[in-house]
Amino acid sequence: MTRALLFLASAVLLASCGEPESDTPAPATPAPGASVPTPPTPASGEIADAQAQLTLAALSAPYNTADLANGRATFARCRSCHTLAEGGARLTGPNLWGLFGRQVGSREGYNYSKAVQDADFVWGTENLDHWLDNPKEFLPGNKMTFAGVHDAEDRRDLIAYIATQTRTPPAA
């Protein structure tokens, strides 16, 4: 019985501790298991949101209506092999700065497969879309091991995201 009274008294004392009351309502606490949205912050070398939005608006349809947050999330699949920032590192794949309008296989200092070296096209939205859907089918013999982004909306968002982060206006 004494233990129960001590426990109850301790609980009452602890409950009375805390911050003084104020007229300001306490911030809402999310329900257990609910996700708490956090504002996106640019990754290292990532172009700020305002500049990205200007570039996005200048893109041709359907890329000008892309979801850049989804494009950024989709690019996470590419990040282990590619960088986007100007002067960014070459990883397993070449840096993608200045991709649009560039001759395939022309990034200095990168060792391209024979298939890419022999290819003759300039990177634009249409061929990048086909490449991203299925790289092995688009250009047989290339050394990219990525299986592809098969969802058309994810590819649209990814292409727009790459365009906004590399400041290169894509050609069709």
Side-chain angles (χ1 to χ4, degrees), residues 71-103:
R72 180 181 187 191
T74 304
F75 187 74
R77 300 186 224 172
C78 313
R79 200 172 298 281
S80 63
C81 296
H82 297 282
T83 58
L84 295 171
E86 183 174 16
R90 287 182 312 273
L91 303 175
T92 304
N95 170 274
L96 301 179
W97 181 267
L99 174 69
F100 295 103
R102 186 172 74 211
Q103 178 68 30

Side-chain angles (χ1 to χ4, degrees), residues 67-147:
D67 176 351
L68 292 182
N70 184 49
R72 180 181 187 191
T74 304
F75 187 74
R77 300 186 224 172
C78 313
R79 200 172 298 281
S80 63
C81 296
H82 297 282
T83 58
L84 295 171
E86 183 174 16
R90 287 182 312 273
L91 303 175
T92 304
N95 170 274
L96 301 179
W97 181 267
L99 174 69
F100 295 103
R102 186 172 74 211
Q103 178 68 30
V104 65
S106 64
R107 173 61 77 191
E108 287 285 323
Y110 185 76
N111 184 21
Y112 291 96
S113 66
K114 178 90 169 106
V116 171
Q117 290 173 23
D118 292 346
D120 185 26
F121 64 87
V122 172
W123 285 113
T125 55
E126 188 176 321
N127 52 31
L128 183 57
D129 184 64
H130 293 300
W131 172 276
L132 290 171
D133 183 34
N134 190 333
K136 292 294 181 192
E137 187 177 287
F138 177 78
L139 189 60
N142 78 74
K143 66 182 181 180
M144 188 165 162
T145 59
F146 185 62

Side-chain angles (χ1 to χ4, degrees), residues 25-31 36:
T29 316
V36 178

Side-chain angles (χ1 to χ4, degrees), residues 30-38:
S35 64
V36 178
T38 55

